[in-house]
Amino acid sequence: MSFKFPVGYHSFNDNNLLNFQLNRWYSTGFLGYDELKEVGERINSFESAKKVFKELGEEAINNNQWLVGATYLRGAEFFALGRDPEKNKLYDTCMKAYCKAYEDEPILYEKVPYDKGYLPIMRIMTDQPSKGWIVLHGGYDSFIQELYPFCKTFVNKGYDVIMFEGPGQGGALNEYDMVLTHEWEKPVSKILDHYAIDDVTLIGISLGGYLAARAAAFEKRIGRVVLYDIIYDFYNAFLCKFPKHLQILIRCFLPFKESYFWRKAEEKVADNLFLHWLILQGYHTFGVHSIWQYINSMKKYHTKKISKYIDQDVLLLAGEEDIYTSFFDKQKKALTHAKSVTGRIFTKNEYASHHCQIGNIGLALDYILDWIERKR
């Protein structure tokens, strides 16, 4: 199975969040332009998105289009928020479709014991003389199955790759109820122990840009670390989505768990699709039950205090239209003891200005590969 990363960021839907997600599945090459254009015209809410994606997923599977079906079901699961009773069933059906889609791929499915369950692994070995190990993980909401095209890019260039899901992600969350931890060095260390490997390149995608930085600060078997994208300060990046007066109120009421303010905030957040998804998905991922708990959890996810402990080669990626770009210089300056720091802000002209370079993933992966080659 070969993958191509199409170039371009398109207007599939008028809502920024829905449009970004549609572009996400377009940019990986899983779904085509015409079908996503049609989908974009049919959805205007989480409920309609879940319904449409579920219908299209089931239809694709009935036609033996396993990867298309898995992708649509992943979309349905993505839009099944909070305690939606369909979420677990959608996850199970989606995983079965991915397994069928990849059944002829040279993937070793493994599990590494961790805490009260296991960390799901997809390990792929190159058929060339190996250039070393790349360990790759996602962030807030990813499944490793949807990152397989990324993995194939590295394997085809001569690297052995381990993709894993840690607490709060994919199977670790949905099968073993392990919620997200900011102490990401713990699952990474377990994986390096299990495979007895060192001098690895660690790549963290999306919120993984914080997680990978945290792991590199405390796990020195990591030789190089790629923050794809940077997440210097998750809490303040979240806060900047609110008007100034609300930012002030949130900061003022944060010490008061039982304040009426939080009850009103729960009601108002539904007016903004991005914040509504982020928070309800956060309840699921962090294992919390209120917006007050969620905001206090997210405050742990910053690299301000731990960046000084990172002494490896570091690659920083960001897009000029991403909410995290404003922290790019702060993150770069905070890496006071890094062996080297390389960074790039991708532009709109490159079709790579959005989060994780959705619109031109191939450009970002080529840049990462070139950097690894030079630093290896």
Side-chain angles (χ1 to χ4, degrees), residues 5-249:
F5 298 105
V7 176
Y9 193 89
H10 301 285
S11 296
F12 293 121
N13 190 277
D14 292 336
N15 179 270
N16 286 337
L17 172 66
L18 297 177
N19 192 53
F20 177 82
Q21 299 307 325
L22 296 175
N23 272 280
R24 168 181 166 184
W25 292 308
Y26 171 76
S27 289
T28 54
F30 288 154
L31 299 176
Y33 176 87
D34 291 338
E35 54 194 310
L36 284 167
K37 191 70 176 172
E38 184 179 337
V39 169
E41 293 169 356
R42 296 175 60 188
I43 64 176
N44 57 16
S45 65
F46 295 130
E47 293 77 13
S48 62
K50 186 184 83 168
K51 180 176 182 292
V52 169
F53 273 73
K54 181 183 175 184
E55 289 174 357
L56 291 172
E58 291 172 348
E59 180 183 324
I61 285 173
N62 288 337
N63 291 322
N64 295 319
Q65 296 175 295
W66 295 102
L67 188 54
V68 171
T71 305
Y72 277 129
L73 290 170
R74 165 58 176 142
E77 190 276 342
F78 179 91
F79 292 118
L81 298 180
R83 299 181 182 86
D84 188 318
E86 281 196 282
K87 196 170 183 70
N88 288 339
K89 184 178 180 181
L90 286 167
Y91 172 81
D92 291 339
T93 310
C94 173
M95 288 300 107
K96 289 174 183 175
Y98 271 127
C99 285
K100 189 72 175 175
Y102 293 148
E103 64 181 358
D104 295 326
E105 293 295 296
I107 300 170
L108 299 169
Y109 292 96
E110 296 163 338
K111 293 184 177 182
V112 172
Y114 183 83
D115 194 22
K116 59 184 178 182
Y118 295 88
L119 305 177
I121 304 289
M122 289 171 68
R123 180 163 61 96
I124 305 91
M125 310 296 285
T126 183
D127 58 6
Q128 306 171 35
S130 178
K131 296 178 180 178
W133 287 97
I134 291 176
V135 178
L136 185 149
H137 60 80
Y140 198 64
D141 64 307
S142 62
F143 299 165
I144 50 177
Q145 288 79 5
E146 61 187 331
L147 299 176
Y148 186 56
F150 297 58
C151 171
K152 282 289 289 270
T153 301
F154 299 123
V155 170
N156 290 342
K157 293 295 184 179
Y159 293 91
D160 297 318
V161 179
I162 292 170
M163 296 195 299
F164 79 94
E165 291 167 338
Q169 300 173 341
L173 175 64
N174 290 287
E175 296 175 33
Y176 303 110
D177 296 320
M178 292 190 281
V179 297
L180 195 63
T181 175
H182 70 288
E183 296 176 316
W184 203 248
E185 69 277 12
K186 293 181 178 179
V188 171
S189 295
K190 283 287 187 182
I191 286 164
L192 300 186
D193 289 343
H194 183 84
Y195 292 102
I197 55 177
D198 60 12
D199 192 32
V200 304
T201 300
L202 181 67
I203 302 175
I205 300 173
S206 193
L207 183 61
Y210 160 77
L211 301 173
R214 168 79 193 204
F218 299 108
E219 173 51 79
K220 298 310 173 184
R221 286 174 289 181
I222 299 167
R224 293 149 301 281
V225 60
V226 179
L227 312 186
Y228 174 28
D229 286 7
I230 62 159
I231 308 288
Y232 177 74
D233 188 338
F234 192 31
Y235 166 68
N236 277 302
F238 165 80
L239 213 60
C240 78
K241 297 292 290 183
F242 293 93
K244 286 288 184 185
H245 71 283
L246 282 179
Q247 294 182 35
I248 294 169
L249 286 171

Side-chain angles (χ1 to χ4, degrees), residues 192-301:
L192 300 186
D193 289 343
H194 183 84
Y195 292 102
I197 55 177
D198 60 12
D199 192 32
V200 304
T201 300
L202 181 67
I203 302 175
I205 300 173
S206 193
L207 183 61
Y210 160 77
L211 301 173
R214 168 79 193 204
F218 299 108
E219 173 51 79
K220 298 310 173 184
R221 286 174 289 181
I222 299 167
R224 293 149 301 281
V225 60
V226 179
L227 312 186
Y228 174 28
D229 286 7
I230 62 159
I231 308 288
Y232 177 74
D233 188 338
F234 192 31
Y235 166 68
N236 277 302
F238 165 80
L239 213 60
C240 78
K241 297 292 290 183
F242 293 93
K244 286 288 184 185
H245 71 283
L246 282 179
Q247 294 182 35
I248 294 169
L249 286 171
I250 289 170
R251 294 184 196 278
C252 287
F253 281 100
L254 207 52
F256 307 107
K257 179 180 179 180
E258 302 300 332
S259 170
Y260 77 96
F261 173 78
W262 299 114
R263 291 191 292 276
K264 294 296 290 183
E266 295 272 1
E267 297 170 9
K268 295 296 290 182
V269 95
D271 296 337
N272 182 302
L273 282 187
F274 173 76
L275 294 175
H276 189 48
W277 173 83
L278 188 73
I279 290 169
L280 289 185
Q281 184 72 358
Y283 290 0
H284 180 58
T285 301
F286 287 118
V288 299
H289 307 287
S290 73
I291 193 169
W292 181 87
Q293 289 178 318
Y294 172 72
I295 292 175
N296 275 279
S297 294
M298 92 181 342
K299 288 182 75 176
K300 299 174 184 176
Y301 293 78

Side-chain angles (χ1 to χ4, degrees), residues 324-340:
Y324 302 106
T325 308
S326 59
F327 300 102
F328 186 85
D329 288 335
K330 290 181 180 179
Q331 178 62 87
K332 196 170 184 179
K333 290 175 182 176
L335 293 162
T336 52
H337 293 90
K339 185 177 179 182
S340 71

